[in-house]
C-alpha cells in the first residue's frame, strides 16, 4: 500500500461522520470535499462561518451528494472550543474521524484570546482542548480516528518548557516548528493513552509535504509574502496532492495507531502517501508526558479517563 494512492481508493464512508478543522481553505477544504465525495457526513469547523458556508457551497457544486454542515470554531479561543464541543456533542451520538488540521504559520508575535502565543495556542493547545472535549463522542464510534496534522518542520522544533509562549525570545519559524512538534508529541501520547485504556479509538499523524495553500502568506509579515508566494508557485505541490496523506491516515483500513503519514518524494516535499519517520524528539515519551500535563493546565481541559499512558 502507499504507492500512488489516490482519492479514488478511499473506501466508502457512507454512515460515518467526520469533523475537519480549518476546512475553510487549503488542505482542510480538500479533505472535507474528498471525505464527502466518499459518502462521509462532514462538519466543516471554521472560525469564519461565512467563509465556511461559501466553501460548503463550492463543495456541493462539485459533489451534489455531499452531506455537510458548517460550525463555528475558533481554536485561538478556548471558550469558543468549549462552546463548539458542547454544541457538537449535544447534536450527535458519535464521531468517526477528527482531522486536527487548522493552522497558522510564522506570524509576528501575537497572542490568542487566552494569552497563548498564536501558533502554540492555535495549532497545538486549541486542538489539544478540542480532542479532549470530543473524546466521549470518538469513543462512542467503532474504531474512530484522530488525525493530527504536523509538518517536516517539526524536525527543527524543540519544546522550550522554560519559554513555551516565546515571551523571552520569539522567533517566528522556531515557534511554528515547536507547535508542529507539539502536534506529533500529542498524537503519539494520545495513542499511548488510548491503548493503555483499551480504547477502540486510534490516533495517527500526517503531514502534506510542501503544498501551495494560503498558509505561507496568511499571517506572515507583509514583506516576506511575495517570496513565500513565489516559493509556492515554483516548488510546492497542489493542495489536492498535499491532502492525500491526511486522507490516507483518516481512511485507509487497518492502519496502526501512532503511524505518521507523509509524501513519498525526496525530502518528503511532494508525492504520494507513505509511512514516514518522525524525528527522535517527536518520539520522546518524557517530553510528551510533560507537554500533556502542561497542556491540561493551560487549557483547563482534563482528559479525565486518560490519566496515565
Ligand atoms: N501547506 C503546506 O505546505 C503545509 C506544510 C506542512 C504542514 N501544513 C499544515 O497543514 C495544515 C493546514 O494548512 P494549509 O496549508 O491548508 O493552510 P491554509 O490554507 O492557510 O488553511 C489553514 C486553515 O486553518 C484555519 N485557521 C487558522 N486559524 C484558526 C483558528 N484560530 N481557528 C480555526 N481555524 C483556524 C484557517 O481558517 P481561515 O480560512 O479563517 O483563515 C484555514 O481554514 C496546518 O496545520 C499546517 O501547519 C501545511
Amino acid at each position: 500500500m502507499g504507492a500512488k494512492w489516490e482519492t479514488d481508493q478511499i473506501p466508502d464512508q457512507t454512515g460515518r461522520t467526520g469533523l475537519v478543522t480549518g476546512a475553510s481553505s487549503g488542505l482542510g477544504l480538500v479533505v472535507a470535499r474528498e471525505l464527502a465525495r466518499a459518502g462521509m457526513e462532514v462538519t466543516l469547523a471554521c472560525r469564519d462561518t461565512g467563509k465556511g458556508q461559501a466553501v460548503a457551497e463550492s463543495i456541493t457544486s462539485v459533489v451534489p451528494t455531499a452531506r455537510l454542515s458548517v460550525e463555528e470554531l475558533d481554536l485561538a479561543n478556548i471558550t469558543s472550543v468549549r462552546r463548539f464541543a458542547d454544541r457538537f456533542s449535544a447534536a450527535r451520538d458519535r464521531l468517526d474521524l477528527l482531522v486536527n488540521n487548522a493552522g497558522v504559520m510564522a506570524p509576528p508575535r501575537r497572542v490568542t484570546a487566552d494569552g497563548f502565543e498564536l501558533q502554540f495556542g492555535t495549532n497545538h493547545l486549541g486542538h489539544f482542548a478540542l480532542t479532549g472535549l470530543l473524546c466521549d463522542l470518538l469513543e462512542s464510534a467503532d474504531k474512530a480516528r484522530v488525525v493530527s496534522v504536523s509538518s517536516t518542520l517539526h524536525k527543527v522544533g524543540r519544546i522550550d518548557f522554560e519559554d513555551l509562549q516565546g515571551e523571552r525570545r520569539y522567533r517566528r519559524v522556531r515557534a511554528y516548528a515547536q507547535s508542529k512538534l507539539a502536534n506529533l508529541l500529542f498524537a503519539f501520547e494520545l495513542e499511548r493513552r488510548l491503548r493503555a485504556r483499551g480504547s477502540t479509538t486510534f490516533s495517527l499523524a500526517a503531514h502534506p509535504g510542501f503544498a501551495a495553500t494560503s498558509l505561507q502568506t496568511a499571517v506572515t509579515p507583509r514583506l516576506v509574502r511575495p517570496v513565500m508566494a513565489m516559493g509556492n508557485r515554483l516548488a510546492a505541490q497542489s493542495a489536492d496532492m498535499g491532502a492525500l496523506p491526511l486522507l490516507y491516515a483518516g481512511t485507509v483500513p487497518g492502519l496502526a495507531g501512532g503511524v505518521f503519514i507523509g509524501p513519498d518524494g525526496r525530502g518528503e516535499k511532494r508525492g504520494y502517501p507513505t509511512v514516514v519517520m518522525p524525528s527522535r524528539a517527536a518520539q520522546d515519551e518524557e517530553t510528551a508526558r510533560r507537554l500533556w500535563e502542561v497542556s491540561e493546565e493551560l487549557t483547563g481541559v482534563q482528559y479525565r479517563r486518560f490519566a496515565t499512558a
Side-chain angles (χ1 to χ4, degrees):
M1 208 62 171
K4 300 216 184 301
W5 183 91
E6 302 228 35
T7 51
D8 59 2
Q9 293 174 64
I10 298 177
D12 185 9
Q13 299 293 313
T14 307
R16 301 186 80 225
T17 56
L19 168 61
V20 183
T21 69
S24 53
S25 155
L27 307 175
L29 185 163
V30 177
V31 169
R33 186 189 70 212
E34 296 309 319
L35 292 173
R37 198 194 300 279
M40 188 178 278
E41 187 183 332
V42 182
T43 299
L44 288 65
C46 306
R47 59 180 166 178
D48 177 344
T49 50
K51 197 171 170 186
Q53 284 296 352
V55 163
E57 281 162 30
S58 78
I59 293 176
T60 308
S61 73
V62 291
V63 185
T65 53
R67 296 175 69 201
L68 304 171
S69 55
V70 177
E71 292 279 348
E72 185 176 337
L73 169 67
D74 182 356
L75 289 155
N77 182 338
I78 299 297
T79 304
S80 166
V81 176
R82 284 188 180 278
R83 287 200 184 120
F84 167 83
D86 285 348
R87 280 195 315 275
F88 192 77
S89 303
R92 285 163 184 82
D93 59 4
R94 61 173 214 290
L95 174 61
D96 296 281
L97 176 63
L98 167 61
V99 186
N100 284 331
N101 161 77
V104 284
M105 184 172 91
R109 191 171 186 286
R110 290 192 209 154
V111 293
T112 68
D114 308 284
F116 306 136
E117 185 280 316
L118 188 68
Q119 301 179 85
F120 189 67
T122 307
N123 302 358
H124 169 62
L125 291 174
H127 284 123
F128 177 90
L130 177 69
T131 309
L133 294 167
L134 295 181
C135 265
D136 287 347
L137 271 191
L138 288 160
E139 293 204 299
S140 298
D142 178 32
K143 293 190 186 138
R145 287 187 190 177
V146 178
V147 176
S148 296
V149 180
S150 182
S151 160
T152 51
L153 277 175
H154 85 271
K155 292 179 183 172
V156 296
R158 181 176 157 267
I159 308 294
D160 185 356
F161 286 106
E162 308 311 312
D163 189 23
L164 269 181
Q165 315 293 348
E167 287 158 314
R168 284 188 222 151
R169 182 169 191 210
Y170 178 72
R171 285 178 294 172
R172 301 181 295 115
V173 178
R174 280 285 162 149
Y176 177 72
Q178 172 178 259
S179 76
K180 292 286 115 181
L181 174 59
N183 289 148
L184 272 186
L185 287 161
F186 166 65
F188 300 150
E189 179 68 9
L190 177 62
E191 173 60 17
R192 283 189 288 274
R193 291 181 186 233
L194 289 165
R195 295 290 65 75
R197 62 181 251 101
S199 173
T200 58
T201 298
F202 294 86
S203 168
L204 300 88
H207 82 80
F210 180 15
T213 65
S214 48
L215 186 76
Q216 297 84 357
T217 48
V219 292
T220 43
R222 275 183 200 290
L223 277 175
V224 303
R225 286 182 200 167
V227 182
M228 303 295 272
M230 177 78 83
N232 270 1
R233 273 198 300 279
L234 296 179
Q237 60 178 353
S238 66
D240 280 16
M241 282 299 293
L244 288 181
L246 285 58
L247 288 160
Y248 186 99
T251 65
V252 166
L255 277 186
V259 296
F260 187 26
I261 308 294
D264 62 0
R266 190 145 56 98
E268 298 170 25
K269 293 265 186 291
R270 50 174 62 234
Y272 289 90
T274 190
V275 175
V276 293
M277 277 298 288
S279 66
R280 276 180 62 180
Q283 299 172 69
D284 186 308
E285 296 190 16
E286 182 49 41
T287 308
R289 245 192 315 271
R290 187 170 169 198
L291 178 66
W292 185 282
E293 282 159 17
V294 171
S295 303
E296 281 192 334
E297 265 169 43
L298 289 172
T299 61
V301 173
Q302 307 287 324
Y303 283 61
R304 290 184 318 281
R305 290 180 278 114
F306 292 73
T308 48

